Amino acid sequence: TRSASMTALHLLTYISAALLLQLAAGIGLMVWRRHAVARQSAQPGEPEALTASAGAWSGWREFRVTRRDFEDAARTQCSFYLQPVDGGSLAAFKPGQFLTFSLQVDDIAGGAERSLTRCYSLSDQPDSANYRITVKRVSPPPGQPDLPPGVSSNYFHDRVQVGDVLKLKAPSGHFYIDPDATVPAVFIAGGIGKHRCLAC
C-alpha cells in the first residue's frame, strides 16, 4: 500500500511539473512576442504597411483593373493591378495576406451568371497606388480532359480586362510573415506551385 501511494505521489508530482513547465513556456512565449512587437514598432523607418492595419474598410469596395501582365512565357500566370474606384487610400497589409473577391461568372452548366467568392494572395510589396494579385490558369487535371477547368482562374484570364471593375474586401489573413528580421522564416510552396483546385 505504501509503495502504491508513493507511486501515485510520484505520478502526481510529474504531472504537476509538466503542467508548470507548459504554463511557464506559454508565459515565456507571450512575453517574447510582446517584446518582438514592441521592438518592431520602435524601429525607425519601418514601413507602415508592415506595422499597422490602417485604412481597412468594411464590406465590398469597387476596384478597377489598371494593368495586367503575364509572368511566364506560357501565359499561364497573370498579374492584375487594382486601384480603388473611389480614389481613396488603400488599407495596409502584411506579407502573406490576401484579398477576397466577389465574381459574377458563367454557370458551368450554361445557365445564368452566378456569384463566386474567391481569395487571392497579394503578390507585391505594399504600394500606395494599387494592389496586385497573380492568378495561375488552372486547366483540367492531366489525363482527365472531361473535367472542367478552374472556374475563377479562367474567369480572370479570359474575362477580366483593363478597365473592368471588381468588388473586393480589405486585405486579411492571420498567416503572414513576421516582419522582424531576427525571426527565421520557413517557406512552403503552394498556390502558384503544384497546387490544383477546380474551383480556383
Side-chain angles (χ1 to χ4, degrees), residues 2-146:
R2 183 177 181 182
S3 176
S5 63
M6 288 296 292
T7 302
L9 182 60
H10 287 156
L11 182 60
L12 181 61
T13 301
Y14 293 145
I15 293 174
S16 299
L19 290 174
L20 286 174
L21 283 173
Q22 286 185 341
L23 180 62
I27 293 175
L29 180 61
M30 181 177 65
V31 171
W32 177 82
R33 289 185 69 85
R34 286 187 177 179
H35 280 300
V37 171
R39 285 199 313 270
Q40 172 187 326
S41 300
Q43 287 178 354
E46 187 73 16
E48 181 181 348
L50 298 183
T51 59
S53 296
W57 62 91
S58 176
W60 300 105
R61 185 179 178 189
E62 291 187 334
F63 277 69
R64 179 169 284 107
V65 178
T66 59
R67 175 180 161 194
R68 49 176 283 166
D69 293 332
F70 284 102
E71 305 291 350
D72 63 328
R75 300 170 74 87
T76 62
Q77 301 171 22
C78 187
S79 291
F80 297 83
Y81 293 78
L82 309 159
Q83 289 184 356
V85 172
D86 59 20
S89 61
L90 297 177
F93 67 89
K94 297 181 179 180
Q97 292 190 309
F98 57 84
L99 298 174
T100 302
F101 291 81
S102 176
L103 308 173
Q104 295 297 318
V105 303
D106 294 330
D107 196 323
I108 295 177
E113 287 188 341
R114 62 190 175 100
S115 179
L116 193 68
T117 302
R118 288 293 180 269
C119 301
Y120 287 98
S121 298
L122 288 147
S123 61
D124 200 0
Q125 63 185 357
D127 186 328
S128 60
N130 54 250
Y131 290 137
R132 187 186 80 173
I133 63 166
T134 303
V135 180
K136 179 179 180 180
R137 183 191 290 274
V138 178
S139 303
Q144 303 181 62
D146 294 336

